[in-house]
């Protein structure tokens, strides 16, 4: 095993998970305990910046930001569901968010 790339520039806390896009396997989605998500080119070598990212406003809601606990692409890869994140979470549960891609 040899490390090909270091994915950096999105997460400030521990990453919780990662999944490959089902239709475009070069794309890798990661999510983190700081509520951020990053989209990466899995063919990258060396220091790899994200090709896309969601980074919550850490200054405005740093005390209210909850971790992203799970992300899942639809079978065709045209939609994404995330659980957690944002400031709407409470002891009653975590929000789920649904995103459809054009």
């Amino acid at each position: 095993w040899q490390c090909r790339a270091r994915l950096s520039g999105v997460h400030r806390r521990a990453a919780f998970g990662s999944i490959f896009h089902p239709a475009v396997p070069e794309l890798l989605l990661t999510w983190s305990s700081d509520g951020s998500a990053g989209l990466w080119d899995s063919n990258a070598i060396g220091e790899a910046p994200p090709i896309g990212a969601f980074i919550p406003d850490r200054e405005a809601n740093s005390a209210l930001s909850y971790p992203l606990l799970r992300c899942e692409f639809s079978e065709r890869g045209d939609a994404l569901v995330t659980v957690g994140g944002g400031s709407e979470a409470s002891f009653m549960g975590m929000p789920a968010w649904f995103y459809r891609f054009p």
Side-chain angles (χ1 to χ4, degrees), residues 19 21-22 29-31 37 39 54 68 70-75 77-83 96-101:
I19 53 173
H21 191 281
L29 178 71
T30 60
W31 60 93
L39 191 62
F54 168 76
L68 279 174
R70 180 79 176 137
C71 297
E72 190 70 42
F73 285 111
S74 64
E75 189 174 316
D78 61 348
L80 176 72
V81 173
T82 65
V83 177
W97 307 93
F98 179 76
Y99 304 93
R100 173 128 356 241
F101 307 119

Side-chain angles (χ1 to χ4, degrees), residues 39-52:
L39 191 62
W40 314 87
D41 177 358
S42 66
N43 292 321
I45 297 175
E47 282 292 316
I51 58 175

Side-chain angles (χ1 to χ4, degrees), residues 10-99:
V10 175
H11 309 304
R12 289 190 180 174
R13 288 191 267 172
F16 271 4
S18 62
I19 53 173
F20 287 97
H21 191 281
V24 187
E26 304 78 50
L27 296 180
L28 176 69
L29 178 71
T30 60
W31 60 93
S32 170
S33 60
D34 66 1
S36 64
L39 191 62
W40 314 87
D41 177 358
S42 66
N43 292 321
I45 297 175
E47 282 292 316
I51 58 175
F54 168 76
I55 302 173
D57 184 352
R58 293 184 173 114
E59 299 304 318
N61 68 356
S62 61
L64 300 174
S65 183
Y66 286 84
L68 279 174
L69 299 175
R70 180 79 176 137
C71 297
E72 190 70 42
F73 285 111
S74 64
E75 189 174 316
R76 293 187 311 245
D78 61 348
L80 176 72
V81 173
T82 65
V83 177
S87 59
E88 292 81 10
S90 71
F91 70 94
M92 297 298 288
M94 290 283 180
W97 307 93
F98 179 76
Y99 304 93

